[in-house]
Amino acid sequence: SFYSNYDPQIKILEQILLSRKILSLKLNYNSFNQIQLKDKMSKSPDNVLFFLDKLIDKIKPKCVEELKILAEIKWKDLENFKK
């Protein structure tokens, strides 16, 4: 069954996360994310979140507009389906 191996897999993942946390603390980082990002362009988790927030601000109006169009199309489909 699909779920028969669920618990052992969760335990392994929890151990991996704990090991990452221990490693980060031993290397004087607050999180494993900081280790992973230090050599990347973003440099820190805070920079990634800042970038994502700015991206959301920029694309949200267009997304809302496109969702309205999709909703209109769907309503028309529903009206035609009822006929």
Side-chain angles (χ1 to χ4, degrees):
S1 163
F2 177 74
Y3 294 104
S4 63
N5 293 327
Y6 180 76
D7 286 340
Q9 291 173 358
I10 294 297
K11 289 178 183 173
I12 290 169
L13 289 172
E14 287 174 345
Q15 184 60 44
I16 290 170
L17 291 174
L18 179 61
S19 296
R20 285 176 156 199
K21 183 64 177 176
I22 291 169
L23 174 64
S24 64
L25 293 174
K26 286 186 178 189
L27 295 173
N28 294 322
Y29 289 93
N30 291 327
S31 70
F32 191 75
N33 290 340
Q34 287 180 329
I35 296 171
Q36 291 293 96
L37 292 173
K38 76 176 185 133
D39 295 328
K40 307 286 189 274
M41 189 172 78
S42 59
K43 301 286 185 213
S44 75
D46 288 338
N47 288 347
V48 172
L49 291 175
F50 179 78
F51 168 77
L52 292 174
D53 286 340
K54 290 295 179 187
L55 181 63
I56 289 169
D57 291 343
K58 186 170 179 94
I59 65 172
K60 189 175 182 178
K62 182 68 174 167
C63 290
V64 169
E65 178 185 323
E66 290 181 4
L67 284 172
K68 285 179 184 177
I69 294 169
L70 289 172
E72 289 172 8
I73 293 169
K74 187 63 180 172
W75 277 113
K76 287 179 184 176
D77 284 347
L78 287 173
E79 288 172 359
N80 290 335
F81 181 73
K82 290 179 184 179
K83 293 179 182 179

